[in-house]
């Protein structure tokens, strides 16, 4: 029986593998020590690549951090989306609350806090963060649109309400990350968030 010869990786496959190794190593180091304390030499050593290989794919530490932050946002988006669609009635106002709750709960993770909440504002700036967070804002807007279509909430402007709620969630996540007792701060925040959703619900509907 003839032995099948394994094809050698293509240049694109090798490049993708290098990028993956760099991002995995960078995320671990950024989460552990923070943006300021993480050197590119340490990233290269952890990823087992040369510095030249790193610079072939990233212009520098900020560019590398941006890529790590973008992945964190994609992961948070999946967490929110999974929580939303898992609801018994995913087009309901309750489902929007559940997605918001999932966002705040996921933000309690120390790695998420270090990368996305504590270091990203200084490393990337608010404009870059807003640019990379449009998917989560879009999900909030779509959830509001669906709840409005079902008559469970009646905003004057779905877009305006999405910005208000998403902005409040981001600020709340930052406050929880800086709290001395984070679990208690999260529970207090969720209680207030539930009250807010209940107040916004049409015809006195429930948010939990």
């Amino acid at each position: 029986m003839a032995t099948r010869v394994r094809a050698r990786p293509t240049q694109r496959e090798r490049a993708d593998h290098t990028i993956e190794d760099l991002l995995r190593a960078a995320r671990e180091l950024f989460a552990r020590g923070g943006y300021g304390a993480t050197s590119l030499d340490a990233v290269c050593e952890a990823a087992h690549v040369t510095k030249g290989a790193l610079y072939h794919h990233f212009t520098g530490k900020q560019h590398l951090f941006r890529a790590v932050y973008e992945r964190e946002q994609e992961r948070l988006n999946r967490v929110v989306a999974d929580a939303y669609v898992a609801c018994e009635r995913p087009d309901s106002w309750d489902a929007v609350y559940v997605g918001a709750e999932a966002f705040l709960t996921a933000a309690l993770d120390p790695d998420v806090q270090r990368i996305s909440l504590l270091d990203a504002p200084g490393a990337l700036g608010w404009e870059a963060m807003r640019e990379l967070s449009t998917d989560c804002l879009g999900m909030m807007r779509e959830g509001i649109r669906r709840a409005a279509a079902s008559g469970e909430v009646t905003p004057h402007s779905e877009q305006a309400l999405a910005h208000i709620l998403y902005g409040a969630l981001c600020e709340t996540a930052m406050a929880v990350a800086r709290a001395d007792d984070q679990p208690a701060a999260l529970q207090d925040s969720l209680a207030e968030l539930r009250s807010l959703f209940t107040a916004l619900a049409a015809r006195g509907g429930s948010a939990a």
Side-chain angles (χ1 to χ4, degrees):
M1 183 176 178
T3 302
R4 179 176 295 180
V5 178
R6 185 178 179 181
R8 297 181 60 184
T10 65
Q11 183 175 357
R12 179 68 264 173
E13 289 171 338
R14 291 195 299 272
D16 289 344
H17 184 74
T18 299
I19 292 172
E20 185 64 32
D21 287 344
L22 285 166
L23 289 176
R24 188 182 299 113
R27 185 195 186 278
E28 180 178 347
L29 292 171
F30 285 141
R32 184 196 310 162
Y35 178 77
T38 298
S39 69
L40 291 182
D41 287 334
V43 173
C44 291
E45 181 179 356
H48 304 291
V49 303
T50 65
K51 207 165 185 179
L54 184 149
Y55 278 115
H56 182 72
H57 300 290
F58 301 98
T59 59
K61 187 163 78 167
Q62 185 185 52
H63 187 197
L64 179 62
F65 183 85
R66 180 188 173 101
V68 170
Y69 175 82
E70 187 170 12
R71 278 198 170 188
E72 289 300 295
Q73 295 308 298
E74 291 170 355
R75 192 183 67 80
L76 283 174
N77 291 345
R78 289 194 297 271
V79 169
V80 173
D82 288 347
Y84 180 85
V85 300
C87 288
E88 185 176 346
R89 295 175 55 235
D91 291 343
S92 67
W93 186 229
D94 286 351
V96 182
Y97 169 81
V98 169
E101 181 182 39
F103 174 84
L104 290 179
T105 302
L108 198 63
D109 180 271
D111 291 355
V112 173
Q113 290 181 355
R114 169 57 66 184
I115 294 171
S116 298
L117 300 176
L118 302 179
D119 285 353
L124 299 177
W126 287 109
E127 287 303 316
M129 291 178 65
R130 284 169 57 85
E131 176 189 339
L132 296 172
S133 301
T134 54
D135 287 347
C136 201
L137 175 61
M139 286 193 294
M140 173 66 77
R141 185 167 55 245
E142 178 62 14
I144 293 171
R145 186 194 68 77
R146 293 185 180 188
S150 68
E152 295 192 14
V153 66
T154 54
H156 295 290
S157 168
E158 294 164 10
Q159 181 171 342
L161 182 56
H163 279 282
I164 290 170
L165 291 178
Y166 180 66
L169 288 175
C170 292
E171 177 61 27
T172 300
M174 185 72 74
V176 170
R178 297 183 182 278
D180 293 332
D181 187 341
Q182 294 186 9
L186 175 63
Q187 291 309 309
D188 288 345
S189 298
L190 290 177
E192 295 300 332
L193 183 67
R194 184 178 291 112
S195 297
L196 175 60
F197 268 68
T198 299
L200 289 170
R203 305 183 189 92
S206 172

